[in-house]
């Protein structure tokens, strides 16, 4: 009788341990599956987007984009041999009265970096400062985008600003690459772009595919 009771007790304990182990394993599997689904969902949030373009002046590709809050909109010439977004400051002495310039004092979301730069653009000397603000393209806002504001430059023909889609190996300067910024913020799935040209100076710029 005692042997039977002990045997029954051992069976009960072992069954309890097996059940508990199974419950724990099921929870871990479910947790892993949920993490995978979350990653899939996060990945699906990335999508390439297309921007209508046109040709103007010396630029084959020009897009419309806005900066700041409330948005101030500009024609940006697309460049593939640089990687910055540049706009001319409304304080610039060289600004054209017929074009828009960025009045950064009117943006409530602008983060001004007091780090000034002195660079050469197309062989001409330019100066200004670094900034971060909301970029609006196709009606969608992308916050905390790094760009440069030109305060002075040697005379050259320029749009109201331009956007560079090129690549830089310089670690410090990579923070200004619009493609890298969009990719790292989870906006686009790939660090690529393509351009299509149609008739009547119209075209399409695709970022992310």
């Amino acid at each position: 009788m005692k042997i039977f009771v002990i045997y029954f007790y051992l069976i009960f304990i072992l069954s309890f341990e097996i059940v508990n182990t199974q419950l724990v394993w099921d929870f871990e599997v479910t947790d892993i599956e949920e993490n995978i689904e979350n990653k899939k969902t996060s990945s699906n949030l990335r999508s390439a987007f297309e921007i209508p373009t046109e040709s103007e002046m010396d630029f084959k590709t020009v897009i419309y984009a806005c900066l700041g809050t409330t948005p101030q909109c500009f024609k940006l010439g697309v460049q593939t041999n640089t990687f910055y977004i540049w706009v001319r400051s409304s304080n610039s002495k060289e600004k054209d009265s017929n074009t828009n310039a960025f009045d950064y004092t009117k943006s409530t979301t602008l983060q001004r970096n007091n780090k000034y730069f002195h660079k050469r653009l197309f062989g001409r000397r330019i100066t200004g400062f670094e900034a971060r603000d909301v970029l609006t393209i196709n009606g969608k806002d992308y916050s905390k985008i790094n760009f440069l504001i030109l305060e002075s430059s040697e005379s050259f023909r320029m749009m109201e600003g331009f956007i560079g889609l090129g690549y830089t190996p310089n670690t410090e300067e990579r923070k200004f690459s619009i493609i890298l910024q969009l990719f790292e913020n989870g906006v686009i799935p790939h660090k690529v772009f393509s351009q299509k040209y149609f008739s009547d100076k119209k075209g399409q710029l695709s970022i992310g595919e």
Side-chain angles (χ1 to χ4, degrees):
M1 182 66 177
K2 289 182 180 180
I3 295 174
F4 178 79
V5 170
I6 292 171
Y7 177 78
F8 179 81
Y9 179 77
L10 288 174
I11 294 295
F12 175 79
I13 293 298
L14 288 173
S15 299
F16 181 79
E17 290 297 326
I18 292 171
V19 169
N20 272 329
T21 303
Q22 183 64 42
L23 286 174
V24 172
W25 174 247
D26 285 344
F27 173 78
E28 290 174 349
V29 170
T30 304
D31 189 52
I32 293 170
E33 289 175 346
E34 286 178 353
N35 287 336
I36 292 173
E37 287 302 317
N38 288 336
K39 288 181 179 179
K40 287 181 179 178
T41 303
S42 176
S43 175
N44 291 337
L45 292 177
R46 295 175 181 261
S47 62
F49 59 89
E50 299 172 342
I51 310 169
T53 68
E54 59 184 52
S55 300
E56 189 171 321
M57 294 175 60
D58 297 330
F59 292 88
K60 189 171 181 63
T61 308
V62 175
I63 69 169
Y64 291 89
C66 307
L67 288 166
T69 308
T70 306
Q72 301 175 50
C73 300
F74 311 94
K75 294 178 181 179
L76 302 180
V78 176
Q79 293 287 304
T80 57
N81 59 346
T82 186
F83 51 90
Y84 296 101
I85 294 179
W86 312 72
V87 288
R88 198 184 294 274
S89 168
S90 59
N91 295 329
S92 172
K93 297 178 180 179
E94 297 87 1
K95 71 182 181 68
D96 190 333
S97 59
N98 296 322
T99 60
N100 294 326
F102 186 52
D103 187 349
Y104 57 87
T105 63
K106 292 184 177 179
S107 175
T108 58
T109 50
L110 181 120
Q111 299 175 31
R112 175 172 176 168
N113 185 339
N114 290 324
K115 183 177 179 180
Y116 279 77
F117 64 85
H118 304 274
K119 300 180 182 293
R120 297 195 71 82
L121 175 66
F122 306 136
R124 295 171 173 82
R125 187 170 179 271
I126 60 174
T127 61
F129 61 89
E130 301 175 2
R132 177 182 290 183
D133 211 336
V134 177
L135 172 69
T136 303
I137 300 179
N138 282 356
K140 293 185 177 181
D141 295 337
Y142 306 101
S143 61
K144 298 181 179 180
I145 297 297
N146 297 310
F147 64 102
L148 300 177
I149 298 177
L150 276 62
E151 289 196 313
S152 65
S153 62
E154 296 177 0
S155 179
F156 65 93
R157 294 186 70 190
M158 179 180 167
M159 302 298 299
E160 296 170 348
F162 60 88
I163 180 171
L165 301 178
Y167 169 80
T168 174
N170 188 305
T171 304
E172 291 187 3
E173 292 183 329
R174 284 165 65 88
K175 66 180 181 181
F176 290 102
S177 166
I178 182 59
I179 289 182
L180 283 178
Q181 291 184 77
L182 293 175
F183 177 78
E184 291 171 358
N185 288 336
V187 177
I188 58 176
H190 306 290
K191 295 174 283 188
V192 296
F193 72 92
S194 61
Q195 299 182 64
K196 297 178 182 178
Y197 299 102
F198 309 124
S199 58
D200 300 327
K201 298 184 177 181
K202 302 295 183 181
Q204 179 178 284
L205 172 65
S206 298
I207 296 181
E209 68 177 8

